[in-house]
Amino acid sequence: MGLLSLGTPMHWDEAKKYADHVRTHGIIQFLNLWEATKDSQKDCLLWGDEIEYMVVSYDEENKKAKLSLRVWEILQELAKEEEEAAKDPAKKLLVNSSWHPEYGRYMLEGTPGEPYMGLPRDLLEVERNMKLRRELACKFMKPNEVPITLTSYPRLGCAGEGLDPHHDPHGPAARSLFVPDEIINAHARFPTLTANIRRRRGAKVAINMPIFHDKNTPKPFIDPTIPTYNDYPEDKNAIEEGAALPDHIYMDAMAFGMGCCCLQITFQAVNVEEARKIYDQMAPLGPIMLALTAAAPIYRGYLSDVDCRWNVIAQSVDDRTEEERGLKPLKNNKYRIAKSRYDSIDSYISNDPSNKPEYNDIPLVFDEDIYKKLSDNGIDNLLARHISHLFIRDPLVIFHELLNIDDNESTDHFENLQSTNWQTMRFKPPPSKTSPIGWRVEFRSMEIQLTDFENAAFAIFIVLVTRAVLSFNTNFYIPISKVDENMKVAHHRNAVLDEKFYFRKQIFPQSRPGTPAAGTPFGSPKLSNATLPRTAATNNSATSGASLAPGLDRSDEYELMTINEIINGAPSKGFPGLLGLVNSYLNTLNIDIETRCEISKYLELIKKRANGTLMTAASWMRQFVQNHPDYKQDSVVSEKINYDLVKMIEKINKGEVQAPELLGNFSV
Ligand code: ADP
Ligand code: MG
Ligand code: MG
Ligand code: MG
Ligand code: MG
Ligand code: MG
């Protein structure tokens, strides 16, 4: 579980001297790994979710909900359970989960004990296991503590309150005006990451989210709650110096972003090519699923005009210097870099013929020496670009003790850069040369939902989409710049119903979907496109990338669609929608009626969120705040409103209160 100390982390001034060392050895490690695993074949789907929780501590006497900073103790207990379960088969079933520390000292991350396999009835384990995890975590909490799955904590960073135990803001790592360093996981890695991002950037991070202007919200809104201090060079007046923008909610620390919770899904592919295909096909769904799972409308005690967390995190770890951000001419840095380390992906990586060069239409900054090293060692163009793009970043946390390691045995330096490129998709090589784990892909854009039922629904939907993608050999490609545009739009308040998103019109390789062999087991490699007729690729050869001049206009291939159309289909246009695909896929399997009905319950939720029958968590929370008797139509989410909101979420998840506008008639 990695709770132990890894050693002594370097201050940025020292770490930067070893940046090239880490990159050089990271690439050697990747190449060693590649040689050993590039032909790895797995015969089944394995997949799993990651759920992040916040531990809330209630002060019932004063009707306050605080974040508990006791998670370290809870994690140690959970680690003990895991250890015992590993030895005792009877206990294994009861624990059946794995626990990890996260950025916040109030956060827990839980995954299933073992990845799920590809059988349809395994899907019914998902919600059960999520419930088991929550119960297990509760076992080690105090009676007034509860794990909640809330994407952003509404009053995180509201001065002088909200943490149990209390700490004043403004510690040496984050230097935040709003949060103390005690909010950061105590493991040396996390405060160092925080401080080194600030040091590398040359200033504190500056996060500005537009405020939601209600009837009584001052216009312009100049936040009266921003304090001033006088301890550090950064302690200039945030408003006067322009860090805090008018009409925005200003935040100044990594905790505001990395302290958010999300829902991630990882799938193992049968081989590296299939992993690259899944990576590309799922990438355009990143913004769609972000908008559909939107659950983060409140920041630092104010209603915002965005519904989701992504840009908050992107800004919260943006370590680019002014030169890299294009604010000054390049002098000390090598590149202008368009995005934060936490952002949407910049290139497609599949060698499938449907991946035309024109879809990679964002100018890609990559390290040319690393690209050459990779090419010289047999890595193809698209993968070499991907890796050498990740490697334009500096390693942020380097441990003295781990500087010189055996590149044949370790992948630490590779992972150092890989795991601090936090993008919408992650292409994960096997963890080591000898690991039984194969090539995997992680889908990372979704927001955590308030209940286990919803989290299970989104996890199941996404894994079924990947199966349908492979089964029907779909083509979701649109220019990647359009995926970025979708990403921006996804943040808008109520984007799920009010906005349109670029999506590909013709998503099958031929006019009709390929029909997979009836009765093929779920997740079998037989369902991968290898055994489907490859007519798609051959028929398309007249328009294949090789024979075309680069820059071909592909704008007739996609159009703006509503999320309802993308998910539920547009019959008049012959567009099946993602649920249409999933249902066609399920129809090809031999599933008993009971299992199919259970799965349908989850898919119903997705359908109804997409068509507006049910609210997103973001809309539901807005409504809760705006209907609260204490709310003064001034965008302020008070301590009492926060307490009532958190309590309500807890009750809904326990099934003590029904929330039909959020969940319909699904009982939790
Ligand atoms: P990270 O934080 O690096 O994304 P975690 O270890 O927290 O990774 O979570 C990995 C997820 O992948 C878990 O849900 C786990 O069940 C799942 N998983 C583990 N092994 C495999 C595998 N071989 N193939 C696919 N998924 C796996
Ligand atoms: Mg994890
Ligand atoms: Mg996590
Ligand atoms: Mg203190
Ligand atoms: Mg993850
Ligand atoms: Mg992780």
Side-chain angles (χ1 to χ4, degrees):
M1 199 167 75
L3 285 182
L4 298 173
S5 167
L6 293 170
T8 331
M10 294 180 193
H11 185 286
W12 173 244
D13 289 341
E14 193 178 6
K16 67 182 174 195
K17 295 181 204 150
Y18 294 103
D20 280 327
H21 171 90
V22 170
R23 273 189 291 261
T24 304
H25 288 274
I27 288 301
I28 296 171
Q29 291 167 10
F30 174 76
L31 286 168
N32 288 339
L33 192 58
W34 174 260
E35 261 327 294
T37 60
K38 63 179 195 285
D39 300 321
S40 146
Q41 287 284 336
K42 300 290 165 192
D43 54 6
C44 70
L45 165 72
L46 291 176
W47 72 281
D49 65 85
E50 292 164 73
I51 300 244
E52 292 171 344
Y53 307 83
M54 298 182 178
V55 180
V56 164
S57 161
Y58 292 118
D59 170 356
E60 294 294 2
E61 208 175 308
N62 299 301
K63 297 274 175 280
K64 289 180 181 179
K66 303 181 175 193
L67 290 169
S68 167
L69 302 184
R70 226 172 53 75
V71 161
W72 204 249
E73 291 160 51
I74 299 168
L75 272 170
Q76 273 168 340
E77 295 294 331
L78 288 165
K80 256 189 248 159
E81 292 283 293
E82 267 186 70
E83 270 166 40
E84 285 167 24
K87 290 182 218 138
D88 176 358
K91 185 143 191 183
K92 196 168 172 175
L93 275 180
L94 296 175
V95 174
N96 207 7
S97 53
S98 176
W99 296 87
H100 317 260
E102 256 300 333
Y103 182 82
R105 206 179 289 186
Y106 55 87
M107 291 167 83
L108 284 171
E109 183 190 285
T111 64
E114 275 166 16
Y116 301 111
M117 309 236 281
L119 298 168
R121 66 168 185 278
D122 270 18
L123 296 178
L124 307 187
E125 269 309 306
V126 177
E127 185 183 354
R128 283 203 278 271
N129 189 271
M130 287 176 181
K131 288 191 162 134
L132 178 138
R133 270 179 254 169
R134 211 185 274 262
E135 279 162 24
L136 188 69
C138 279
K139 229 173 96 178
F140 303 108
M141 292 183 192
K142 293 179 183 169
N144 68 324
E145 287 173 335
V146 341
I148 57 163
T149 41
L150 193 52
T151 296
S152 72
Y153 195 70
R155 285 186 63 86
L156 180 68
C158 290
E161 59 158 276
L163 300 179
D164 178 19
H166 174 82
H167 293 275
D168 290 325
H170 217 50
R175 298 185 177 179
S176 170
L177 305 177
F178 309 106
V179 291
D181 284 353
E182 283 83 356
I183 205 167
I184 307 168
N185 188 321
H187 188 301
R189 176 184 148 74
F190 297 95
T192 308
L193 193 53
T194 309
N196 283 357
I197 285 174
R198 177 173 54 70
R199 291 168 182 144
R200 188 185 188 287
R201 178 180 167 94
K204 288 199 302 193
V205 292
I207 308 158
N208 283 285
M209 286 294 123
I211 191 142
F212 167 70
H213 275 283
D214 210 338
K215 224 170 57 200
N216 300 327
T217 313
K219 213 166 187 175
F221 166 77
I222 310 285
D223 190 349
T225 69
I226 298 177
T228 47
Y229 289 91
N230 227 338
D231 307 323
Y232 303 114
E234 278 97 342
D235 285 348
K236 296 169 195 154
N237 187 307
I239 294 172
E240 280 171 20
E241 295 288 324
L245 303 179
D247 288 327
H248 284 72
I249 307 160
Y250 168 66
M251 293 163 274
D252 67 346
M254 185 168 169
F256 287 104
M258 284 298 186
C260 289
C261 292
C262 68
L263 172 65
Q264 296 171 337
I265 318 289
T266 296
F267 331 93
Q268 175 177 280
V270 296
N271 55 34
V272 65
E273 279 308 324
E274 188 186 91
R276 293 168 72 164
K277 184 187 177 85
I278 296 177
Y279 180 96
D280 281 11
Q281 291 300 304
M282 298 307 282
L285 307 189
I288 310 302
M289 296 312 294
L290 179 64
L292 189 58
T293 57
I298 310 168
Y299 300 93
R300 210 164 55 66
Y302 295 109
L303 278 175
S304 78
D305 215 23
V306 299
D307 268 4
C308 43
R309 79 198 187 289
W310 192 271
N311 284 345
V312 176
I313 316 186
Q315 294 176 34
S316 83
V317 291
D318 190 354
D319 71 336
R320 292 172 303 159
T321 63
E322 289 189 320
E323 293 179 22
E324 288 169 334
R325 279 178 282 144
L327 301 173
K328 277 187 184 165
L330 281 178
K331 194 174 134 217
N332 299 312
N333 294 120
K334 259 169 112 172
Y335 319 102
R336 283 269 163 87
I337 306 177
K339 293 179 187 171
S340 164
R341 308 171 75 110
Y342 192 108
D343 219 311
S344 49
I345 65 159
D346 290 303
S347 69
Y348 294 117
I349 60 175
S350 173
N351 281 323
D352 191 283
S354 60
N355 181 14
K356 310 293 183 204
E358 302 85 67
Y359 297 136
N360 273 326
D361 67 339
I362 302 182
L364 195 76
V365 185
F366 57 91
D367 184 313
E368 285 177 18
D369 297 336
I370 287 176
Y371 178 89
K372 183 163 186 308
K373 170 104 186 169
L374 291 166
S375 297
D376 290 349
N377 284 279
I379 308 289
D380 61 88
N381 174 47
L382 287 173
L383 188 55
R385 279 162 52 95
H386 169 72
I387 303 282
S388 57
H389 173 61
L390 300 183
F391 272 61
I392 60 174
R393 310 288 174 170
D394 281 337
L396 290 166
V397 182
I398 304 176
F399 290 96
H400 280 279
E401 292 82 350
L402 296 177
L403 194 56
N404 293 303
I405 45 179
D406 182 349
D407 293 335
N408 267 309
E409 296 302 324
S410 177
T411 56
D412 266 26
H413 290 327
F414 170 71
E415 281 297 332
N416 190 330
L417 288 149
Q418 156 95 340
S419 70
T420 53
N421 271 275
W422 298 279
Q423 301 181 337
T424 39
M425 302 294 302
R426 188 176 281 161
F427 175 63
K428 295 177 168 178
S432 72
K433 291 193 329 193
T434 51
S435 165
I437 298 173
W439 290 88
R440 291 150 304 153
V441 173
E442 184 180 17
F443 188 76
R444 299 167 49 85
S445 69
M446 292 192 287
E447 307 227 310
I448 200 81
Q449 305 295 293
L450 303 178
T451 65
D452 295 323
F453 170 69
E454 297 161 276
N455 285 313
F458 280 102
I460 288 168
F461 174 66
I462 286 298
V463 73
L464 287 173
V465 171
T466 66
R467 297 309 94 186
V469 158
L470 296 176
S471 177
F472 299 131
N473 194 19
T474 58
N475 179 350
F476 295 158
Y477 282 114
I478 57 174
I480 206 154
S481 62
K482 294 292 170 211
V483 180
D484 274 3
E485 283 183 45
N486 285 348
M487 208 57 198
K488 291 200 183 84
V489 169
H491 285 76
H492 296 173
R493 178 160 46 87
N494 211 26
V496 63
L497 301 181
D498 295 348
E499 297 289 353
K500 289 188 169 189
F501 295 81
Y502 292 105
F503 210 81
R504 193 177 174 94
K505 293 189 275 189
Q506 177 52 265
I507 59 176
F508 297 115
Q510 49 206 106
S511 54
R512 300 290 310 149
T515 316
T520 321
F522 180 51
S524 149
K526 294 204 177 58
L527 280 180
S528 81
N529 60 15
T531 57
L532 286 168
R534 295 304 298 258
T535 44
T538 24
N539 285 353
N540 273 352
S541 62
T543 55
S544 87
S547 59
L548 286 168
L552 180 93
D553 178 20
R554 295 201 167 268
S555 55
D556 59 338
E557 292 180 350
Y558 56 86
E559 65 183 6
L560 284 165
M561 296 188 198
T562 61
I563 286 196
N564 187 28
E565 289 173 320
I566 295 169
I567 299 289
N568 292 317
S572 62
K573 298 178 194 163
F575 183 80
L578 298 175
L579 270 176
L581 282 181
V582 163
N583 281 318
S584 302
Y585 169 71
L586 288 172
N587 290 342
T588 67
L589 309 179
N590 286 323
I591 310 181
D592 62 275
I593 294 190
E594 205 189 316
T595 306
R596 182 72 194 260
C597 285
E598 290 287 311
I599 296 172
S600 299
K601 259 185 7 194
Y602 298 115
L603 299 181
E604 270 300 289
L605 180 86
I606 310 297
K607 171 180 164 183
K608 290 183 171 170
R609 286 279 164 86
N611 69 19
T613 310
L614 299 178
M615 289 174 143
T616 60
S619 296
W620 180 84
M621 282 190 260
R622 281 182 194 285
Q623 178 180 282
F624 184 93
V625 169
Q626 291 183 295
N627 289 341
H628 194 284
D630 283 8
Y631 180 66
K632 302 192 176 60
Q633 283 75 48
D634 56 357
S635 319
V636 175
V637 180
S638 67
E639 264 190 292
K640 178 66 169 54
I641 300 175
N642 179 64
Y643 171 86
D644 289 338
L645 176 63
V646 171
K647 274 269 149 165
M648 180 58 81
I649 292 168
E650 185 198 347
K651 285 185 183 147
I652 291 171
N653 191 49
K654 283 185 174 156
E656 292 169 8
V657 168
Q658 300 299 311
E661 64 284 18
L662 187 67
L663 302 172
N665 48 18
F666 307 114
S667 62
V668 172

